Structures are given as C-alpha cells and as structure tokens.
Amino acid sequence: MRKLPARPAARILLTLSVLLLLAGRAQAYVGPGAGFVLAPLFLGLLIGVLVFLVILALPFLVLYRLLFAKRPVRGRVRRVVVLGLDGLDPGLARRYMEKGRMPNFAALAKEGTFRPLSIPVPSISPSSWSSFMSGADASRHAIFDFLTRDPCTYAP
C-alpha cells in the first residue's frame, strides 16, 4: 500500500483534488440580474483599456506635433488699427475718396487697406459689431439686438 505524503499542505491539496474529481454536476441559475453585474464590469474594463492606450499614445502624439505641426507665422506688421464707422456706405466712401472730398481717408486707404466688410444676418449694429469682433455669426455669439428678450413672450 502507498503512503500518503507526510506534509499537511500536500495532504490538504490531495484531498481537495480528489473531492473536486468526485464532485457531480452543479446546477446553477443565472437570471436576468447577471447582466446588471456583467455590463458595468465590461464597460469598466473597456474604459480602462482605452485610458491605457491613450496614455501609451501620448508620447507619440507629442513627437508628431513637434515634427509636423505648423508653426505660427509671424507677420511683418506689429500693430493694427481698425477704423470702423457704423452706417457708412463703403461705395460712397470710395467715391468720395476718389473725388478728393475725403483726403484723409484716401491717405489712410493708400497707406493701409480699405475693404468693405461682409454684412451678417441680422444686419443691425449690435449683431454686426459682435460678429466683427468675435469672428462668429449671430447664431454663435447670440447677440441679435440691443435688448435681451424673453424667449417665451419676446418682451424685453
């Protein structure tokens, strides 16, 4: 007859393995509640993998930007003065400058640039000046009038 191992840890391991081999089929019910446990587990795992990949990609992103990103262009002009006159028709102003009736404006236009601005919609002063200053149209800066109106009643 064979002798059992003398060490207690080996005896316990041997006993557990024999019991595991002799165990029958277990019946288990996995109900619909299991999805509530597994879905956040997989979502957390997915988010963890994505965060890990983003952290891994950061050095390559920095290197790419250093090598291929466009550098800001430094202009020759250091200062800009914008002279805007509300309600001035650029066609009339150009005609008067050509006739010599606006000599100072003609000198400014000759030294700098004279261009009419495109008119945003709605074409009223608060919306136009806000579009000029922000570079966005009225749907972005949400300034349409001198007054702020109640959206339900349209009252000021």
Side-chain angles (χ1 to χ4, degrees):
M1 189 157 181
R2 294 177 49 196
K3 280 179 131 186
L4 289 176
R7 289 183 258 155
R11 239 185 244 176
I12 292 172
L13 186 62
L14 181 63
T15 306
L16 287 176
S17 59
V18 168
L19 287 174
L20 188 62
L21 288 174
L22 293 177
R25 209 172 120 186
Q27 297 293 325
Y29 170 72
V30 179
F36 294 115
V37 173
L38 293 178
L41 176 74
F42 288 124
L43 185 63
L45 186 64
L46 177 69
I47 290 172
V49 168
L50 288 176
V51 167
F52 178 73
L53 290 176
V54 166
I55 290 172
L56 228 100
L58 280 176
F60 297 108
L61 179 64
V62 169
L63 184 65
Y64 175 80
R65 284 189 179 176
L66 284 174
L67 294 177
F68 299 110
K70 292 182 181 179
R71 306 279 189 263
V73 179
R74 296 191 65 89
R76 295 176 292 171
V77 179
R78 291 179 45 192
R79 295 181 191 186
V80 174
V81 175
V82 177
L83 181 63
L85 300 174
D86 198 6
L88 177 67
D89 181 16
L92 281 176
R94 187 175 300 280
R95 199 165 51 214
Y96 290 153
M97 285 189 286
E98 289 169 357
K99 287 182 180 178
R101 296 181 80 184
M102 295 174 74
N104 294 330
F105 272 89
L108 284 172
K110 185 177 179 184
E111 189 176 322
T113 303
F114 177 78
R115 291 198 180 141
L117 296 176
S118 60
I119 300 169
V121 176
S123 60
I124 58 175
S125 293
S127 180
S128 298
W129 285 110
S130 300
S131 295
F132 166 73
M133 288 184 274
S134 66
D137 64 348
S139 67
R140 300 278 312 269
H141 59 66
I143 297 173
F144 300 101
D145 200 352
F146 289 106
L147 302 171
T148 304
R149 300 192 180 275
D150 181 13
C152 296
T153 63
Y154 295 110

